[in-house]
Amino acid sequence: MSLLTRKSTDLLHWIDYRLPIIQAFKTHMSEYYAPKNLNFWYFFGVLAMLAFANQLLSGIWLTMFYTPTIESAFASIEYIMRDVESGWIIRYMHEVGASFFFIAVYLHIYRGFLYGSYKKPRELVWLIGMFIYLLMMAEGFFGYVLPFGNMSFWGAKVIMNIIGVIPVIGEDLQIWVQGDFFISGATLSRFFAFHVALVPIILIAGIYLHVIALHQVGSNNPEGIDIKAHKDENGIPLDGIPFHPYYTVHDLIPVVLFILAFFVTIFYFPDGGGFFIEPPNYIPANNLSTPDHITPVWYFTPFYAMLRAVTITFLGMDAKFWGLIVITGAILVLFFLPWLDRSPVKSLRYKGRVSKAFLMIWTFCFIGLGVLGIKPADWAPEWVSPTFTIIYFAYFLLMPFYTRWETCKTVPERITANGQRSR
Ligand code: HEM
């Protein structure tokens, strides 16, 4: 052993005696046994982490030059784009990064739908995940307001007005959140504080708890087979492989592809064809000029379409109020998924025909709502978004019935030798 190797081993043991890093590495990496059949859908957790790290790093750099005041917010972004050395790429990394983060997380959540990852014993992993998703939405919203372009301003106005329709406390709550009677400098500086400090701190804690809760119970897999049911004499799951080195190396491929796609987007389509930065955001906020179509960024549009789908006045409350109830319900219902799904099996591979068909229809409607939310309200016939919204809810609310009644296939005891579907 060379002197250098001995010294570094000594240092490692010195640290480990005081802070158990070797044990932590074993517990979460080299002796964490993951199912041997994890597929494409299992890449997105790691990719979400990568995207989050990019948001933190690029965000810190932007904070060095951005100024959260009404007078100079927009100009400070222009300054970053034109005058700050490499400022343009840092800004695009943050802005394109936000969309890539949401793409990764939406696919990550959808994997949960496919393989029943939310079912016992991973209910807490799911709930913490949902909490992370809520925080991401808040983070995305606050961030979008900061450049103070015209869409930032009008988007903020729409959301703040929605808060205002909550009965009894709405108006006071709106003023409290805004810090003023209208969107002003006070609003911008508190949104800045939320965006760069409050929400990221809670997000970091949330992601940490998410992974710890997952490692407590272990990963699910595309077959939905419990790998802990069959262990060798040393207590190691027979269908598991150590996360490190197998999945650390395996995950390098999607990481490289993700980075490649990320930089191709930054270099060739930095505004994502108007979906990542909407055209009205190239002009400064203007109280007197409303954009032709006020739309949020793509990752919010399914919920925005639901909000617009509600046009009824009922019990003396206007459509905006019922719209708010619908979008709140649309997100809340996801929290209950672990208890709505009564199927005896986890993976869609073994569920019955109703679950498969319903998930396909639901997916079509959710994406459809996303498209409808981007387009002007009169783009599709009036019945389309209410119908898609009803199907969105029906998928969840009828789940306790169809998942119990349909006939499922028998789940094999073990993952087969090649790690693929066992039929
Ligand atoms: C910042 C956002 C997030 C990060 C960094 C993250 C990270 C991870 C990682 C690294 C894993 C293990 C690898 C994998 O299964 O892909 C995981 C698993 C999981 N995550 Fe997330 N996650 C995030 C958001 C969410 C959200 C929003 C949900 C849904 C509500 C969610 C639900 C789950 C579930 C259910 C699992 C276990 C999957 C299984 O074992 O089949 N996560 N997450």
Side-chain angles (χ1 to χ4, degrees):
M1 199 189 273
S2 74
L3 185 65
L4 193 64
T5 323
R6 211 174 53 223
K7 286 284 166 210
S8 45
T9 314
D10 287 351
L11 177 65
L12 198 63
H13 283 116
W14 187 90
I15 297 174
D16 195 58
Y17 183 72
R18 290 149 183 89
L19 186 76
I21 45 169
I22 298 179
Q23 190 50 47
F25 182 78
K26 282 185 180 165
T27 311
H28 297 290
M29 302 291 280
S30 62
E31 288 176 14
Y32 173 70
Y33 290 88
K36 61 183 181 182
N37 62 336
L38 298 187
N39 62 7
F40 161 87
W41 290 99
Y42 280 79
F43 290 150
F44 296 103
V46 165
L47 295 183
M49 276 193 176
L50 181 67
F52 182 61
N54 168 64
Q55 290 310 96
L56 285 182
L57 280 178
S58 54
I60 289 170
W61 253 265
L62 290 178
T63 312
M64 296 175 193
F65 305 100
Y66 170 79
T67 42
T69 64
I70 287 277
E71 299 75 28
S72 53
F74 189 85
S76 71
I77 298 288
E78 289 303 299
Y79 169 65
I80 291 170
M81 293 298 286
R82 292 160 199 264
D83 297 328
V84 173
E85 188 82 28
S86 304
W88 64 274
I89 196 166
I90 304 277
R91 197 245 174 157
Y92 281 154
M93 280 170 72
H94 200 71
E95 167 260 319
V96 173
S99 279
F100 270 58
F101 189 16
F102 270 96
I103 293 172
V105 167
Y106 273 126
L107 293 171
H108 183 69
I109 299 178
Y110 195 67
R111 180 274 317 269
F113 281 50
L114 289 177
Y115 301 138
S117 302
Y118 46 77
K119 281 173 82 78
K120 192 182 166 196
R122 293 176 194 83
E123 299 94 326
L124 254 189
V125 181
W126 178 261
L127 289 181
I128 298 170
M130 278 313 301
F131 188 61
I132 292 175
Y133 178 52
L134 281 186
L135 287 170
M136 282 178 63
M137 286 183 148
E139 186 69 349
F141 168 67
F142 294 134
Y144 197 74
V145 179
L146 296 184
F148 223 55
N150 211 21
M151 195 63 107
S152 305
F153 177 72
W154 286 93
K157 217 168 163 153
V158 170
I159 301 294
M160 288 298 118
N161 285 344
I162 293 175
I163 296 181
V165 303
I166 300 174
V168 189
I169 56 161
E171 275 176 37
D172 288 338
L173 188 64
Q174 180 181 354
I175 294 170
W176 187 66
V177 175
Q178 280 175 188
D180 208 332
F181 295 101
F182 43 87
I183 311 271
S184 69
T187 321
L188 201 58
S189 46
R190 69 186 46 198
F191 280 12
F192 180 63
F194 295 157
H195 184 75
V196 304
L198 180 70
V199 185
I201 291 171
I202 314 178
L203 260 176
I204 292 170
I207 295 170
Y208 175 76
L209 294 178
H210 186 60
V211 175
I212 296 294
L214 175 72
H215 284 201
Q216 174 67 17
V217 289
S219 287
N220 183 33
N221 58 79
E223 293 282 273
I225 295 172
D226 176 15
I227 63 161
K228 288 186 179 169
H230 296 276
K231 293 182 176 170
D232 69 8
E233 61 284 0
N234 299 318
I236 294 172
L238 291 169
D239 287 333
I241 45 172
F243 188 83
H244 178 76
Y246 293 101
Y247 281 114
T248 37
V249 172
H250 189 242
D251 285 349
L252 281 179
I253 300 165
V255 164
V256 169
L257 291 178
F258 187 82
I259 294 175
L260 211 70
F262 184 52
F263 282 100
V264 167
T265 313
I266 287 177
F267 294 143
Y268 295 100
F269 321 96
D271 65 354
F275 287 117
F276 298 173
I277 305 183
E278 291 153 297
N281 247 20
Y282 287 103
I283 52 169
N286 185 346
N287 199 9
L288 301 173
S289 152
T290 322
D292 286 345
H293 307 295
I294 304 179
T295 53
V297 195
W298 69 267
Y299 36 81
F300 294 129
T301 52
F303 302 105
Y304 186 58
M306 290 184 195
L307 182 75
R308 283 198 314 201
V310 182
T311 49
I312 48 159
T313 339
F314 184 56
L315 293 176
M317 305 305 270
D318 66 4
K320 256 197 222 162
F321 170 76
W322 294 112
L324 177 64
I325 297 286
V326 166
I327 49 172
T328 312
I331 295 168
L332 269 187
V333 75
L334 294 167
F335 279 84
F336 293 96
L337 195 51
W339 297 278
L340 292 171
D341 183 345
R342 316 289 300 174
S343 178
V345 306
K346 290 195 182 81
S347 172
L348 197 67
R349 289 179 179 178
Y350 297 100
K351 282 188 175 167
R353 289 209 179 97
V354 185
S355 286
K356 287 180 182 163
F358 220 156
L359 182 60
M360 265 172 69
I361 298 169
W362 181 90
T363 310
F364 178 81
C365 292
F366 188 70
I367 296 174
L369 283 166
V371 175
L372 289 164
I374 291 167
K375 302 283 182 192
D378 55 3
W379 181 73
E382 254 173 41
W383 57 268
V384 181
S385 28
T387 310
F388 284 7
T389 308
I390 290 168
I391 296 174
Y392 175 96
F393 279 97
Y395 172 71
F396 295 111
L397 300 180
L398 299 178
M399 198 177 261
F401 307 103
Y402 65 81
T403 50
R404 208 168 337 167
W405 293 334
E406 69 185 357
T407 320
C408 299
K409 291 183 194 144
T410 317
V411 181
E413 284 282 301
R414 298 273 313 271
I415 296 168
T416 52
N418 62 3
Q420 293 303 311
R421 156 191 322 226
S422 6
R423 281 256 165 88

